[in-house]
Amino acid sequence: MLERKFRLNKKQEYKKVFAKGFRYVSRLVVVYIVKGRSVEQSQIGFIASKKVGNAVKRNRAKRLMREVVRQKKTVFKGPCLMVCIARSAITRASFDDVEKSLCYMWKKGGIL
């Protein structure tokens, strides 16, 4: 599980990322990233809407994304704020597919 200090918790934090962040889209996940000096440490939030499916599918989607972030957070180039949003195709994806998708978008965003 991701430590509390690495999580986005408040609605205002999510709004800040959506307003100032750059969006990167793949088939499985949408990622908003804010890089900069104003960020002290990396913080990450996860969203899975009802479009993804029922509660079981939404929770699985968030668990997959959290696990990828937990394994890769040490290789981020610097602190950033990030929101990962699951898309409906993630319900049929494996862990490796989600990992490849997120890593590709992080490289595009310049944080990996």
Side-chain angles (χ1 to χ4, degrees), residues 58-102:
R58 292 194 306 268
N59 287 332
R60 180 180 182 274
K62 289 190 279 186
R63 278 196 315 268
L64 286 172
M65 293 186 294
R66 274 192 209 111
E67 184 61 19
V68 172
V69 170
R70 187 186 67 80
Q71 290 179 0
K72 301 284 185 180
K73 71 180 178 189
T74 58
V75 295
F76 289 159
K77 285 185 179 176
C80 65
L81 297 176
M82 182 185 334
V83 175
C84 300
I85 305 171
R87 298 182 82 184
S88 60
I90 201 169
T91 58
R92 297 175 298 280
S94 68
F95 176 79
D96 293 332
D97 295 335
V98 176
E99 183 178 26
K100 287 177 189 174
S101 181
L102 282 171

Side-chain angles (χ1 to χ4, degrees), residues 8 10-22 32-34 37-40 43 81 83:
L8 290 176
K10 298 179 182 171
K11 186 175 183 178
Q12 293 173 355
E13 294 170 340
Y14 280 89
K15 282 184 176 183
K16 177 182 176 183
V17 174
F18 290 135
K20 295 183 179 181
F22 290 97
Y32 285 83
I33 300 172
V34 176
R37 295 181 183 152
S38 64
V39 180
E40 296 172 10
Q43 289 185 314
L81 297 176
V83 175

Side-chain angles (χ1 to χ4, degrees), residues 23-68:
R23 182 177 66 182
Y24 303 96
V25 180
S26 77
R27 186 175 62 85
L28 303 176
V29 182
V30 177
V31 177
Y32 285 83
I33 300 172
V34 176
K35 297 185 297 185
R37 295 181 183 152
S38 64
V39 180
E40 296 172 10
Q41 67 181 8
S42 294
Q43 289 185 314
I44 300 137
F46 302 95
I47 299 174
S49 71
K50 287 191 176 183
K51 292 179 186 178
V52 173
N54 62 16
V56 174
K57 292 178 182 178
R58 292 194 306 268
N59 287 332
R60 180 180 182 274
K62 289 190 279 186
R63 278 196 315 268
L64 286 172
M65 293 186 294
R66 274 192 209 111
E67 184 61 19
V68 172

